[in-house]
Amino acid sequence: DVSLYLNQMNHDLGTALTVAALALILFLLLFYQMQSRLVIRPIHSLIDTVTNQMDAKCPVPMDTNRDDDLGILAKSYNELIAKLAKERSQVEEHHAMIQGLADAVPVLLSYVDNNQRYQFVNKNYEIWFTQPASEMLGQTILHVLGAEKYARLQPHIESALQGELVS
């Protein structure tokens, strides 16, 4: 009679453990689904939006339909990219104004960096050297002027790059 009782208890315990294990698995699956929907997918969406943000002139805002930390992050990101787009637009307006002023003066006007590469040239450079500014930008003075002209101007160029007044 005791062995029958122990067998029944053992069977009932096995059934209870099986039900508990199935309930735990079901709970974990539901928890994963909820985490996936509420956390993982929105994080991947944020990553995709930031990664694919290529054109600063035309920012792509994030979905901000959330009131949690992810929503706050998305709102902050949207404010940041809007501010950067506005500032970029202002910089481009100022650049266009400076380019217009530089093009209006009747001289060759340029900015050359410490590596003697053109970073800015006015319209007169295009006329004088008969090539678009885009082809000169990033090129060395030696490349644009040629070896002979560069050799004559090299001492003046180096003095100017050292901050000395050259005329």
Side-chain angles (χ1 to χ4, degrees):
D1 199 38
V2 172
S3 69
L4 187 61
Y5 176 74
L6 287 176
N7 281 340
Q8 183 63 36
M9 288 290 284
N10 201 12
H11 180 265
D12 290 347
L13 181 62
T15 303
L17 287 174
T18 302
V19 169
L22 289 173
L24 180 62
I25 290 170
L26 181 62
F27 172 77
L28 290 174
L29 284 172
L30 289 173
F31 182 76
Y32 173 77
Q33 287 296 326
M34 188 171 62
Q35 290 301 312
S36 177
R37 200 176 108 244
L38 296 176
V39 178
I40 296 170
R41 282 188 202 149
I43 288 174
H44 284 293
S45 175
L46 293 174
I47 291 169
D48 290 343
T49 301
V50 171
T51 303
N52 294 325
Q53 184 68 53
M54 295 296 173
D55 187 3
K57 293 178 186 177
C58 210
V60 178
M62 292 183 180
D63 179 24
T64 57
N65 295 333
R66 298 173 63 115
D67 293 328
D68 60 0
D69 289 344
L70 292 174
I72 293 168
L73 178 64
K75 288 174 188 171
S76 297
Y77 175 81
N78 290 345
E79 291 169 7
L80 177 66
I81 62 170
K83 181 180 177 185
L84 289 174
K86 181 179 177 183
E87 289 174 358
R88 180 182 178 89
S89 175
Q90 290 172 340
V91 166
E92 288 174 352
E93 287 174 18
H94 290 132
H95 182 267
M97 182 180 67
I98 290 169
Q99 186 72 53
L101 291 170
D103 290 345
V105 296
V107 296
L108 294 174
L109 186 62
S110 65
Y111 170 72
V112 176
D113 66 16
N114 288 331
N115 296 319
Q116 297 190 13
R117 292 188 179 278
Y118 287 101
Q119 299 299 321
F120 175 86
V121 295
N122 69 349
K123 189 74 170 171
N124 291 322
Y125 265 82
E126 292 181 338
I127 295 166
W128 187 270
F129 294 103
T130 63
Q131 62 179 310
S134 61
E135 291 180 13
M136 288 181 269
L137 297 178
Q139 297 296 325
T140 63
I141 300 171
L142 173 62
H143 179 82
V144 173
L145 296 181
E148 184 181 325
K149 289 178 186 174
Y150 179 77
R152 282 194 320 241
L153 296 173
Q154 184 177 8
H156 301 291
I157 292 168
E158 290 176 0
S159 295
L161 288 173
Q162 291 174 3
E164 298 174 18
L165 184 60
V166 178
S167 57

Short mmCIF file of all heavy atoms in Angstrom, two decimals, residues 131 135 139-146:
data_model
loop_
_atom_site.label_atom_id
_atom_site.label_comp_id
_atom_site.label_asym_id
_atom_site.label_seq_id
_atom_site.Cartn_x
_atom_site.Cartn_y
_atom_site.Cartn_z
N GLN A 131 40.85 75.89 -65.61
CA GLN A 131 40.32 74.62 -65.09
C GLN A 131 39.36 74.91 -63.95
O GLN A 131 39.49 75.93 -63.27
CB GLN A 131 41.44 73.67 -64.68
CG GLN A 131 42.33 74.16 -63.57
CD GLN A 131 43.39 73.13 -63.21
OE1 GLN A 131 43.07 71.96 -62.99
NE2 GLN A 131 44.64 73.56 -63.15
N GLU A 135 38.78 70.93 -59.65
CA GLU A 135 39.98 70.17 -60.02
C GLU A 135 41.22 70.67 -59.28
O GLU A 135 42.20 69.94 -59.16
CB GLU A 135 40.21 70.23 -61.53
CG GLU A 135 39.16 69.45 -62.31
CD GLU A 135 39.39 69.50 -63.80
OE1 GLU A 135 40.49 69.94 -64.25
OE2 GLU A 135 38.47 69.12 -64.54
N GLN A 139 44.63 69.83 -54.54
CA GLN A 139 45.89 69.67 -55.28
C GLN A 139 46.98 70.55 -54.65
O GLN A 139 46.70 71.57 -54.03
CB GLN A 139 45.71 70.07 -56.75
CG GLN A 139 44.74 69.20 -57.50
CD GLN A 139 45.20 67.75 -57.58
OE1 GLN A 139 46.39 67.46 -57.69
NE2 GLN A 139 44.24 66.83 -57.50
N THR A 140 48.22 70.14 -54.84
CA THR A 140 49.34 70.94 -54.32
C THR A 140 49.58 72.14 -55.23
O THR A 140 49.19 72.14 -56.42
CB THR A 140 50.63 70.11 -54.25
OG1 THR A 140 50.99 69.70 -55.57
CG2 THR A 140 50.46 68.90 -53.33
N ILE A 141 50.24 73.13 -54.68
CA ILE A 141 50.62 74.31 -55.48
C ILE A 141 51.50 73.86 -56.63
O ILE A 141 51.33 74.32 -57.77
CB ILE A 141 51.33 75.36 -54.60
CG1 ILE A 141 50.42 75.82 -53.47
CG2 ILE A 141 51.79 76.54 -55.44
CD1 ILE A 141 51.11 76.69 -52.44
N LEU A 142 52.44 72.97 -56.35
CA LEU A 142 53.34 72.45 -57.38
C LEU A 142 52.55 71.85 -58.53
O LEU A 142 52.84 72.11 -59.71
CB LEU A 142 54.28 71.40 -56.77
CG LEU A 142 55.18 70.63 -57.73
CD1 LEU A 142 56.13 71.57 -58.46
CD2 LEU A 142 55.95 69.55 -56.98
N HIS A 143 51.54 71.07 -58.23
CA HIS A 143 50.72 70.43 -59.27
C HIS A 143 49.98 71.47 -60.10
O HIS A 143 49.92 71.36 -61.33
CB HIS A 143 49.74 69.45 -58.63
CG HIS A 143 48.84 68.77 -59.61
ND1 HIS A 143 49.24 67.68 -60.34
CD2 HIS A 143 47.56 69.06 -60.00
CE1 HIS A 143 48.24 67.31 -61.14
NE2 HIS A 143 47.22 68.13 -60.95
N VAL A 144 49.40 72.47 -59.46
CA VAL A 144 48.59 73.47 -60.17
C VAL A 144 49.49 74.43 -60.98
O VAL A 144 49.21 74.72 -62.14
CB VAL A 144 47.69 74.26 -59.20
CG1 VAL A 144 46.97 75.41 -59.90
CG2 VAL A 144 46.66 73.32 -58.55
N LEU A 145 50.58 74.89 -60.37
CA LEU A 145 51.44 75.88 -61.04
C LEU A 145 52.41 75.25 -62.03
O LEU A 145 52.82 75.89 -63.00
CB LEU A 145 52.25 76.67 -60.02
CG LEU A 145 51.49 77.55 -59.04
CD1 LEU A 145 52.47 78.28 -58.13
CD2 LEU A 145 50.60 78.53 -59.76
N GLY A 146 52.83 74.05 -61.75
CA GLY A 146 53.89 73.44 -62.55
C GLY A 146 55.23 73.69 -61.87
O GLY A 146 55.39 74.61 -61.05
#
